[in-house]
Amino acid sequence: MDSSYSFEPHELASGFGESLAPPDPALLESVLDAIPARVVVVDRELRYMYANAESLRFWGLPAERVIGMKVVDVVGEQRFAPYLPKLQRVWGGERLRWEGWAVYEQHGRRYIQEVVMPFTRSGGEVNAIIAFGRDLTEFKQQSDALAQKLTELERAEALKSAIVDHASAAIVSTDARGSIVEFNPAAVAMFGLPRDAALGRDIASLLVVPDDGAAPDAASRATRDVPLCELGRRLEGHALRPDGHRFPIEMVMWRTDVAATTYYTASINDMSERQRAAETIERQRDALRQSEKLSALGSLLAGVAHELNNPLAIVMGRAGLLQEKAAGTPVADDARRIHDAAERCARIVRTFLNMARQRPAVRAPVQVNDIARAAADMLGYTLRSHGVTLTLSLVPDLPLVQADGDQIGQVVLNLIVNAQQALAAHAGERRIEIATGVEQRRPEREPRVWLCVGDSGPGVPPALRATVFEPFFTTKGEGVGTGLGLSVSRAIVHQHGGDLVLQDGAPGAMFRMSLPLSGGAEDVPTVPGALPAADAPQARLLVVDDEPEIVELLRSILEGAGYEVASAESGEVALALLAEARFDAIVSDLRMPDIDGAGLWRAVREHHPALARRIVFVTGDTLSPGARAFLDESRCTSLEKPFAKPELLQAVQRALGGDAAAS
């Protein structure tokens, strides 16, 4: 190798100046060989003049294979080409520094940091280039991995923060002493406490766990010293807002150890809405149980009422006939009293049936005064037994209203029962007054009939007046009411276009119901009048009933009205008579042992179709769904027991006229 390309390390010392003694060449060479970086010197022909031990190790070549060789021959054309523009600048006197990824044939892709600087002797022209190179691949990889981990940590932290900040549950963290260190937005909303005011605050000022009404100190200890068995379990308790409001909560706590520091975190849910919903469901269950009791009671009352219908019909009918026969004698007055008492019993029985009957609402002209009297008759004994005086102040000749009489009757009964229960614990006078009247006509609205039920009790407290019509609200004791009566009553009245309100200024409680008229309905009699004797048709009637007393009663009334009557004690006998003789109409019981009224009607429709619409069914069993469905199917005239003589005669006249649909 040509020695002209040799380069001694002591030549580098020329840059220190003439006044400085050059360092020991052996020492300088030892230093250059010991540093963990590649150091080379090239001349202007880009031949290696010097290469330290790290450079030779990196290339895997001995010194004699490098010194004097051109750079391109050692590093390769591909690696050398990017250096040419940079070397031109260095020959011009610039010092350059760069780093980046480079690809080597022996080592593959490496991350290199390089410094290239010009070398001159005593400030002359540049006659050599010194290059320093460091392999930072491992450092770069570790740095990138650390940066990636930091990025992942930042992302995880951002994700956790987003979850915590947007969680619907309140997230509260404390240190081991119970001081709050984290308070998410849901906690701010739940407790009504700003985050800055919550941080550093003792958790015991917000939570009471367990839910045993413990004092604050005990609650604080219970919160800080949570047993390990309680961690991760759902705990129920109460929380406190700064204003002292206490509300139910459910929470889950867990422990976190960070750098030898212990933290406790609680996820808290406000259970107020769920508690209110549970209370509402429980009230609804109570109402359902009460409804089931009432339904069972209604079925029992309906059965009793049905059994009473036949004897009541006999008493009423016979008393009426006796009154007619004994006209003008003291016996007639006794018969009238018997008839009136039986008729009152009949109204009570009919009211029971109407309350228990389940059917679609039917609007018809009704007399509010009659509804009030029926309710008074039904509850009269109960009121008297409780020491309550009932007064009726009913305006006579009230116009009729278009309404469902059964539903309005239930409203009136509910108002009277409420008044009686309000007076139960009243020490003073116990008095209920039912009054009716007509509102003065206004040009902009239809006239209305009103009914008021007032009592002399303590009245409704002002704080509760706005809530008495809310569902499930009640001031009565447990087991007495469901809180549905007034709510349902107002809904019924509203469906009729009216209103039910609690009157202001009354000494006790006074509820006022108002109902609009049905377009100025005419005053029509509420009970049918007797048929004039001259109008009695000479028709042949067949009476069918398994009760001999009912048969005799019907025969007496109908024959007295001028009809020719034949009787049959069963449906089977009736069909036999129909096969032998002609009849203009049939009056039949609906429930009979062998062939009942429905079976009789179907047989008549098949064999005597002209009579199928001329049957009057007399029954006390309109409560059962089967009976109601059959009456709707047959469209025949029906008459409920007990009945008055005029009602029976009008029903027969309608049947003879074929106007069954009008019934």
Side-chain angles (χ1 to χ4, degrees):
M1 182 175 295
D2 191 343
S3 61
S4 62
Y5 294 104
S6 64
F7 179 80
E8 297 298 332
H10 70 270
E11 294 184 38
L12 294 174
S14 62
F16 288 93
E18 299 297 338
S19 61
L20 295 177
D24 182 9
L27 175 62
L28 182 59
E29 185 173 0
S30 297
V31 170
L32 293 176
D33 286 340
I35 62 175
R38 300 194 299 275
V39 181
V40 297
V41 179
V42 298
D43 60 12
R44 296 193 65 86
E45 294 181 1
L46 298 181
R47 296 175 181 272
Y48 285 110
M49 300 173 62
Y50 172 79
N52 72 341
E54 178 65 18
S55 299
L56 298 175
R57 184 197 65 77
F58 182 78
W59 291 321
L61 298 173
E64 56 271 18
R65 293 278 304 274
V66 174
I67 304 303
M69 299 292 294
K70 287 190 174 184
V71 175
V72 65
D73 295 333
V74 175
V75 302
E77 181 67 31
Q78 183 178 2
R79 182 75 187 93
F80 177 72
Y83 281 98
L84 284 177
K86 300 176 181 179
L87 294 177
Q88 295 299 326
R89 294 169 59 188
V90 176
W91 290 123
E94 289 187 52
R95 175 190 174 110
L96 300 180
R97 177 190 177 98
W98 66 82
E99 66 180 66
W101 289 97
V103 179
Y104 296 90
E105 292 183 2
Q106 304 97 323
H107 305 288
R109 190 169 180 265
R110 310 295 293 178
Y111 191 84
I112 305 299
Q113 182 187 75
E114 294 180 320
V115 177
V116 182
M117 54 182 292
F119 175 76
T120 62
R121 290 186 175 87
S122 301
E125 67 176 358
V126 177
N127 52 16
I129 293 176
I130 302 175
F132 300 88
R134 295 177 61 197
D135 189 340
L136 302 179
T137 303
E138 287 75 13
F139 175 79
K140 178 63 174 175
Q141 290 173 344
Q142 293 175 359
S143 177
D144 289 347
L146 179 60
Q148 183 176 0
K149 289 182 179 179
L150 290 176
T151 301
E152 292 175 354
L153 289 174
E154 290 175 356
R155 290 176 180 173
E157 185 65 26
L159 178 60
K160 291 179 180 178
S161 297
I163 293 173
V164 171
D165 290 345
H166 294 86
S168 59
I171 306 296
V172 181
S173 297
T174 71
D175 58 20
R177 296 173 301 175
S179 298
I180 297 176
V181 297
E182 181 56 54
F183 207 70
N184 75 333
V188 172
M190 180 181 296
F191 290 93
L193 187 66
R195 186 173 187 274
D196 294 341
L199 296 180
R201 189 167 181 155
D202 190 350
I203 188 64
S205 65
L206 300 180
L207 301 181
V208 180
V209 179
D211 187 13
D212 55 3
D217 291 342
S220 178
R221 289 194 301 273
T223 305
R224 288 194 293 264
D225 304 329
V226 179
L228 293 178
C229 62
E230 298 295 338
L231 295 177
R233 294 179 54 191
R234 292 186 180 275
L235 304 176
E236 293 183 357
H238 279 83
L240 299 173
R241 293 193 176 98
D243 59 1
H245 176 70
R246 183 183 176 105
F247 60 97
I249 61 168
E250 180 185 73
M251 73 176 186
V252 178
M253 297 185 66
W254 62 91
R255 172 176 171 172
T256 306
D257 294 321
V258 179
T261 301
T262 299
Y263 297 94
Y264 292 96
T265 301
S267 174
I268 305 170
N269 288 300
D270 186 346
M271 305 301 292
S272 300
E273 288 294 333
R274 188 180 298 180
Q275 187 179 74
R276 284 192 289 268
E279 292 172 354
T280 300
I281 291 174
E282 186 59 31
R283 286 197 299 269
Q284 291 173 342
R285 286 175 179 167
D286 291 340
L288 180 59
R289 287 192 288 267
Q290 184 71 8
S291 176
E292 291 174 348
K293 291 180 182 178
L294 292 176
S295 178
L297 180 60
S299 298
L300 175 62
L301 291 176
V304 173
H306 175 69
E307 293 302 321
L308 289 174
N309 279 333
N310 282 343
L312 280 176
I314 295 170
V315 172
M316 285 180 59
R318 289 299 180 186
L321 293 176
L322 181 60
Q323 184 180 358
E324 292 178 359
K325 293 178 181 179
T329 67
V331 176
D333 187 55
D334 292 338
R336 179 187 58 78
R337 292 180 181 179
I338 295 173
H339 182 276
D340 291 345
E343 188 175 23
R344 181 167 175 263
C345 292
R347 286 199 302 269
I348 294 174
V349 170
R350 187 173 290 113
T351 303
F352 278 140
L353 291 173
N354 289 339
M355 290 179 60
R357 182 181 292 120
Q358 295 181 359
R359 59 171 178 79
V362 177
R363 302 289 179 87
V366 297
Q367 175 57 260
V368 174
N369 282 348
D370 291 343
I371 293 175
R373 292 190 186 97
D377 286 341
M378 182 175 179
L379 299 175
Y381 175 78
T382 301
L383 297 176
R384 289 193 300 272
S385 64
H386 286 80
V388 179
T389 302
L390 178 62
T391 304
L392 297 180
S393 301
L394 309 180
V395 172
D397 301 324
L398 278 182
L400 301 180
V401 295
Q402 192 76 12
D404 186 300
D406 292 345
Q407 291 184 345
I408 300 302
Q410 291 178 21
V411 173
V412 177
L413 284 172
N414 183 68
L415 296 178
I416 298 174
V417 170
N418 283 351
Q420 179 261 315
Q421 292 175 346
L423 293 170
H426 185 55
E429 179 187 13
R430 298 181 180 180
R431 177 174 47 82
I432 296 177
E433 181 179 4
I434 304 176
T436 60
V438 181
E439 290 182 355
Q440 294 183 355
R441 297 175 181 266
R442 301 178 186 175
E444 69 277 6
R445 63 178 295 185
E446 182 183 7
R448 292 190 172 198
V449 169
W450 57 264
L451 178 144
C452 287
V453 177
D455 62 68
S456 59
V460 180
L464 302 180
R465 297 179 70 88
T467 58
V468 292
F469 290 103
E470 292 182 1
F472 302 108
F473 174 82
T474 180
T475 58
K476 303 171 186 177
E478 184 176 356
V480 178
T482 63
L484 290 172
L486 286 176
S487 174
V488 173
S489 295
R490 173 177 266 190
I492 290 174
V493 176
H494 282 177
Q495 288 173 0
H496 285 77
D499 200 5
L500 178 63
V501 297
L502 176 62
Q503 291 283 84
D504 294 325
M510 178 178 289
F511 290 88
R512 186 177 190 272
M513 175 182 68
S514 60
L515 296 170
L517 304 183
S518 55
E522 297 180 356
D523 295 340
V524 297
T526 58
V527 294
L531 288 176
D535 294 338
Q538 298 300 318
R540 291 169 56 89
L541 304 180
L542 175 61
V543 174
V544 187
D545 201 302
D546 60 327
E547 286 280 348
E549 289 292 335
I550 295 293
V551 171
E552 290 302 318
L553 174 62
L554 293 173
R555 178 188 292 275
S556 298
I557 295 176
L558 295 174
E559 287 181 346
Y563 293 103
E564 182 181 348
V565 180
S567 62
E569 65 272 17
S570 68
E572 186 176 0
V573 175
L575 291 177
L577 291 176
L578 288 172
E580 299 294 335
R582 178 190 63 80
F583 293 94
D584 299 306
I586 302 172
V587 179
S588 173
D589 191 10
L590 188 59
R591 239 174 37 176
M592 292 181 291
D594 51 3
I595 299 178
D596 61 3
L600 177 62
W601 175 77
R602 292 186 175 92
V604 169
R605 183 180 60 175
E606 181 178 356
H607 301 290
H608 311 281
L611 280 175
R613 292 290 298 278
R614 293 191 173 192
I615 300 179
V616 177
F617 287 106
V618 181
T619 180
D621 190 31
T622 56
L623 190 65
S624 67
R628 175 50 54 190
F630 165 69
L631 292 175
D632 292 340
E633 177 190 358
S634 66
R635 300 179 63 192
C636 289
T637 302
S638 62
L639 187 63
E640 290 190 27
K641 300 176 184 177
F643 50 83
K645 175 181 176 180
E647 293 175 325
L648 173 62
L649 297 179
Q650 279 198 350
V652 171
Q653 186 180 29
R654 285 199 300 270
L656 288 170
D659 190 16
S663 64

